[in-house]
Amino acid sequence: MSISPRGVESIDEIDNSMVFAFDSNGEIVGRSEGQSIHSLQASISGRSAVVPFGDRVSILTENSSNEFPIERESIVQSVANAPSSGAVTIWFNSGISNGRYVNRFASVSADGSLKTGSVPGMVFSSVYCGDRNFALVRESYIGSTGNPEDNYLYELDGSGFPTVRAEWKYPSYFSSITPTGACTSDGKKFVSLYIWEDAISSDGSGDLTLVQIDTETGVRSERPLDMSGHTWVTERSSLSIIGDRLYWITGDGEVMSSALEGSSGVERKWIIPEWHDRVRVSVEGDKVSFLDFGNSPFYAEFDLISGNQTLDAIELPWLNEIAGSDTLSGKTQYTVSDVDNI
């Protein structure tokens, strides 16, 4: 579980981000702390946890910690994770560098080494397709003279060098809302959910568009989805492909699904019980990791397809003091990841 300030503007050198590991009894078995960063997310890969702090990337195992210093960052823009190999890539929203808006990255390879670099523009989504490492990038308005409609599919090769595999134009008001994408089982398509900004209503409604990008040819397909009665807001790390269907979790705790091909219909499979604004979830494959950091904090797990609870609630009483504490920014952000395999 990771904890960090939510308000970017208020992050200061004395703000901290924290990561906790706890066992099946809810007892803390590991903790790491570092300079604060917005949207902190620990990634579980191989037998380690990869954690970005504001000034470093930490690779944590049961018995060790390997620290890699990085240039000071304030925002995690996107995270791609390949649990089968142990590779993780963290994209940072780095702002203007040498007169141009850039996103830097820190990429941890399967052998635990770190490579860094940057691309011009803004990363909207990233994913591993097998051992291939992709990111969707759009030129940014901010600090740039480029065309904000220009979009790119980047791939980081084995040496960590970013190469453009495809480029195309999308209107600037049509963009991905899923910073962590999904990849089809054959590794050939990068899948993301997009929305037209003018389709967003004040009540949270708005139809999504399922976008698939061929990782070999760069050919794209767009299929509008019928989101009638459901919010377009999507939990950050909830996109998953099971068989021929895409699954995601809305900001209202609804588990939604749509076919990758064919019908534009969207099905609500189930609703996560007791959903409220102090709940966070993440999805890995068909498992939903669930954290409630309300008055009686606990962790649980659910099956993504059936909605069955697969792990009884683990009480986390020590989280009360942390969850109720103030930060300089005045707000705190939480994420949760499965750590069974460490």
Side-chain angles (χ1 to χ4, degrees), residues 31-334:
R31 170 178 174 157
S32 185
E33 188 169 325
Q35 285 194 3
S36 197
I37 192 163
H38 177 62
S39 292
L40 171 64
Q41 178 179 336
S43 297
I44 310 305
S45 247
R47 297 187 61 80
S48 64
V50 178
V51 183
F53 292 109
D55 59 349
R56 71 181 192 270
V57 172
S58 297
I59 303 178
L60 310 174
T61 69
E62 185 177 3
N63 301 308
S64 67
S65 173
N66 198 4
E67 312 288 348
F68 294 97
I70 59 172
E71 293 186 62
R72 186 69 172 96
E73 299 287 355
S74 297
I75 305 171
V76 174
Q77 181 71 15
S78 178
V79 178
N81 186 17
S84 59
S85 70
V88 174
T89 295
I90 303 136
W91 290 93
F92 302 98
N93 187 339
S94 306
I96 297 174
S97 176
N98 298 321
R100 196 172 192 186
Y101 206 90
V102 300
N103 279 193
R104 290 193 287 255
F105 64 85
S107 188
V108 178
S109 62
D111 64 6
S113 61
L114 182 78
K115 299 177 177 66
T116 60
S118 67
V119 298
M122 184 80 74
V123 173
F124 276 96
S125 190
S126 61
V127 74
Y128 278 89
C129 290
D131 59 358
R132 300 182 69 186
N133 186 1
F134 295 98
L136 296 181
V137 181
R138 189 176 75 197
E139 185 62 87
S140 173
Y141 283 108
I142 306 171
S144 170
T145 58
N147 185 344
E149 294 187 349
D150 290 341
N151 289 254
Y152 305 91
L153 176 67
Y154 274 91
E155 180 176 5
L156 300 187
D157 63 20
S159 64
F161 183 80
T163 300
V164 175
R165 297 302 184 196
E167 55 184 291
W168 64 95
K169 293 184 184 297
Y170 274 158
S172 59
Y173 47 88
F174 180 61
S175 58
S176 172
I177 63 163
T178 49
T180 299
C183 193
T184 53
S185 58
D186 59 8
K188 293 182 179 180
K189 290 185 178 179
F190 184 156
V191 180
S192 189
L193 291 175
Y194 277 61
I195 195 166
W196 295 92
E197 290 181 12
D198 58 1
I200 299 174
S201 301
S202 58
D203 62 1
S205 63
D207 288 341
L208 297 173
T209 298
L210 195 159
V211 175
Q212 301 189 58
I213 303 171
D214 190 300
T215 56
E216 296 293 338
T217 65
V219 172
R220 296 164 313 287
S221 66
E222 300 94 14
R223 190 171 82 253
L225 301 178
D226 181 4
M227 292 292 295
S228 299
H230 307 287
T231 178
W232 64 270
V233 180
T234 303
E235 288 293 300
R236 183 179 181 90
S237 300
S238 69
L239 216 60
S240 185
I241 293 175
I242 308 294
D244 61 355
R245 299 189 67 85
L246 179 69
Y247 292 80
W248 69 95
I249 300 174
T250 73
D252 292 332
E254 298 176 307
V255 178
M256 311 298 291
S257 180
S258 179
L260 290 173
E261 305 292 342
S263 171
S264 62
V266 173
E267 299 177 17
R268 185 179 69 184
K269 294 297 187 180
W270 55 286
I271 302 176
I272 295 177
E274 300 181 19
W275 185 268
H276 55 86
D277 61 1
R278 292 169 71 84
V279 164
R280 292 295 177 269
V281 295
S282 68
V283 175
E284 184 66 54
D286 61 358
K287 180 190 293 185
V288 179
S289 296
F290 173 97
L291 173 69
D292 185 322
F293 57 96
N295 293 330
S296 300
F298 68 93
Y299 171 81
E301 292 175 359
F302 298 87
D303 179 77
L304 178 66
I305 310 301
S306 67
N308 293 332
Q309 187 167 340
T310 55
L311 179 71
D312 290 339
I314 299 173
E315 295 182 0
L316 307 173
W318 49 268
L319 187 53
N320 267 321
E321 182 178 352
I322 299 169
S325 61
D326 292 329
T327 64
L328 291 182
S329 65
K331 295 182 178 180
T332 306
Q333 190 171 55
Y334 300 79

